[in-house]
Amino acid sequence: MPLRVHKPAFPLSQYVEAIWRATRSVAPPSLQRVYPDGAMALVIHLNQPTATYFVDDHPHNIRVPLLAGPYSRSFHFDPSQSTAVLGIVFRPGAARMFFPVAAHELHNADIALSELYPGEADRLLNEACSAKGDQAQILAVERYLAEKLPGAAPIHPAVRYAVEQLSRQGAVRAVRDIQLDTGLSHTRFIQLFREHVGLTPKLFCRVRRFRASVSRIEKGMAVNWADLAADCGYFDQAHLIHDFRAFAGVTPLELSRNLAGSGQIP
């Protein structure tokens, strides 16, 4: 599956991690698991009006473009259903700058952009579909976001600080300590974090730690599970296995075998 990844220029790069464009060849139906990363995304299927994903084997159909909320659970999709997809991955806490919805309302859920901005959603889809070539489509999406940037609400500095602290690989800091650093009350800190990021600080930390572990496994190198657990901030292997079961539904070893069997890692 050819994948083109574009890193936007400053100042958009402060809020958008990447813009990607995936092209898939026609293939028989199959299900591929998507693992949570605690970030929100904007997804555009270029050759069909809706996107379908499966949670616990139940299909969900959403009109595109869609705004995907922060997930703390895995789900499945069928790659054969779309041969051309654009995606925008926002930095944690940044999507709310562009879209008037509290992030926690989209926890483990998606919403059609047309429900927020009907005319804007149609314009974005038309511009992306009419652009000639992968790079032109990516740049069309980048222009859309850049045009929204001047009117975007800034990320609260306490949220930005907390995201940075909780995203550090291998770093283990108590949420209470981070909250005290911000000068906010416990209640206000949790409220702000959920509004911007969509998860509680503790759950966000767990998801990011899990995703860092998955990224290590995806490299396809031999893994020492005890070292992986320690490097990514887990207390021990039992702690690592517990979070993998919670977020992926499988153990780390099973996930590694699944990725190798699907050809997603060497």
Side-chain angles (χ1 to χ4, degrees):
M1 180 184 72
L3 178 69
R4 175 177 296 200
V5 179
H6 171 74
K7 298 290 186 178
F10 184 87
L12 194 59
S13 58
Q14 298 177 94
Y15 315 107
V16 176
E17 179 71 31
I19 302 173
W20 54 265
R21 209 281 193 186
T23 303
R24 303 183 180 96
S25 58
V26 177
S30 63
L31 291 181
Q32 181 174 317
R33 189 185 291 268
V34 178
Y35 301 105
D37 63 3
M40 295 180 65
L42 184 65
V43 181
I44 306 170
H45 286 232
L46 299 173
N47 58 2
Q48 63 181 33
T50 62
T52 302
Y53 63 97
F54 301 84
V55 178
D56 296 331
D57 297 325
H58 297 294
H60 298 262
N61 297 296
I62 304 291
R63 183 180 177 184
V64 296
L66 67 84
L67 183 63
Y71 274 74
S72 60
R73 62 174 301 168
S74 61
F75 61 90
H76 291 86
F77 79 104
D78 184 351
S80 70
Q81 292 189 359
S82 182
T83 56
V85 185
L86 280 167
I88 301 94
V89 181
F90 295 98
R91 296 188 184 278
R96 193 165 186 263
M97 296 178 56
F98 301 91
F99 306 105
V101 57
H104 65 81
E105 295 180 8
L106 294 179
H107 180 201
N108 288 337
D110 301 338
I111 187 173
L113 186 60
S114 59
E115 294 188 30
L116 303 175
Y117 299 112
E120 189 173 292
D122 290 340
R123 178 174 64 86
L124 172 61
L125 184 60
N126 289 335
E127 290 182 359
C129 290
S130 61
K132 304 301 182 182
D134 294 2
Q135 187 63 19
Q137 291 171 344
I138 288 173
L139 294 178
V141 172
E142 185 173 22
R143 284 195 302 271
Y144 163 75
L145 295 173
E147 290 171 0
K148 293 177 70 68
L149 193 57
I155 302 175
H156 193 286
V159 174
R160 185 189 295 274
Y161 172 77
V163 166
E164 291 174 352
Q165 293 295 308
L166 294 170
S167 296
R168 291 183 175 179
Q169 184 170 333
V172 180
R173 287 202 65 193
V175 172
R176 174 64 172 171
D177 291 341
I178 296 173
Q179 173 248 313
L180 291 174
D181 287 348
T182 68
L184 298 174
S185 69
H186 175 77
T187 300
R188 180 57 176 157
F189 173 70
I190 300 297
Q191 178 189 41
L192 269 177
F193 197 92
R194 288 185 70 238
E195 286 179 357
H196 285 78
V197 179
L199 312 176
T200 63
K202 183 177 180 179
L203 181 56
F204 174 78
C205 180
R206 289 179 61 205
V207 170
R208 299 296 274 187
R209 183 171 56 200
F210 159 79
R211 200 64 188 85
S213 303
V214 172
S215 296
R216 288 273 295 271
I217 295 172
E218 287 176 332
K219 293 180 180 179
M221 301 173 65
V223 179
N224 180 302
W225 299 112
D227 289 345
L228 176 66
D231 291 347
C232 292
Y234 290 97
F235 297 124
D236 51 31
Q237 285 181 254
H239 188 199
L240 172 76
I241 292 170
H242 175 272
D243 269 11
F244 266 68
R245 289 193 182 279
F247 298 132
V250 294
T251 66
L253 181 58
E254 289 170 334
L255 183 142
S256 178
R257 289 171 175 169
N258 291 343
L259 292 176
S262 66
Q264 292 178 254
I265 62 176

